[in-house]
Amino acid sequence: MVFADGTERPCGGLLVPVTLHQRTGLAAQLGAALAAPTPLTAEGLATPKMPGETSVRGLFVAGDATGQMPSVANVIASGSTTASAIVGRLTGAT
Ligand SMILES: Cc1cc2nc3c(=O)[nH]c(=O)nc-3n(C[C@H](O)[C@H](O)[C@H](O)COP(=O)(O)OP(=O)(O)OC[C@H]3O[C@@H](n4cnc5c(N)ncnc54)[C@H](O)[C@@H]3O)c2cc1C
């Protein structure tokens, strides 16, 4: 690493903190409410009624857009839960 003052420090790796944001305003245009921001996710979508369903009935979310801890394992679990919620809604079970 070379710092602004010209000094250097050997570095084999770097961890960079990243805060996720929604890539587009689509969810907001559809009226979806946001979850409370965290250091990891500034604009996760709230799922106040049941896992996977946003504050807008019939609008579902999965993965990083939910504001959960971003990881592949969580995203896969989220996709499965949300798929179940969609089926429940489509079949009238929920
Ligand atoms: C640098 C980095 C390192 C990571 N390392 C790890 C790790 O080691 N282990 C781990 O478990 N997790 C890791 N993660 C987290 C993991 O990658 C994410 O949690 C996961 O990929 C999120 O999956 P997703 O499907 O929700 O979103 P994404 O993988 O972001 O997929 C969203 C997709 O939607 C597309 N898209 C967005 N907007 C639109 C639009 N308007 N129209 C059409 N397409 C659109 C995007 O192009 C993208 O392809 C890492 C993340 C980053 C950024």
Side-chain angles (χ1 to χ4, degrees):
M1 291 189 301
V2 180
F3 296 96
D5 65 3
T7 57
E8 298 184 16
R9 180 171 180 173
C11 179
L14 198 62
L15 284 176
V16 179
V18 175
T19 303
L20 299 178
H21 296 261
Q22 295 291 332
R23 185 170 297 189
T24 73
L26 178 60
Q29 289 172 22
L30 295 171
L34 297 180
T38 73
L40 292 172
T41 306
E43 299 167 335
L45 299 186
T47 53
K49 297 166 193 160
M50 64 177 176
E53 189 171 42
T54 69
S55 60
V56 178
R57 183 180 170 85
L59 178 63
F60 294 85
V61 62
D64 281 2
T66 64
Q68 67 184 4
M69 166 81 176
S71 81
V72 171
N74 284 342
V75 165
I76 292 171
S78 165
S80 175
T81 301
T82 299
S84 298
I86 293 170
V87 170
R89 180 68 78 212
L90 290 175
T91 59
T94 57

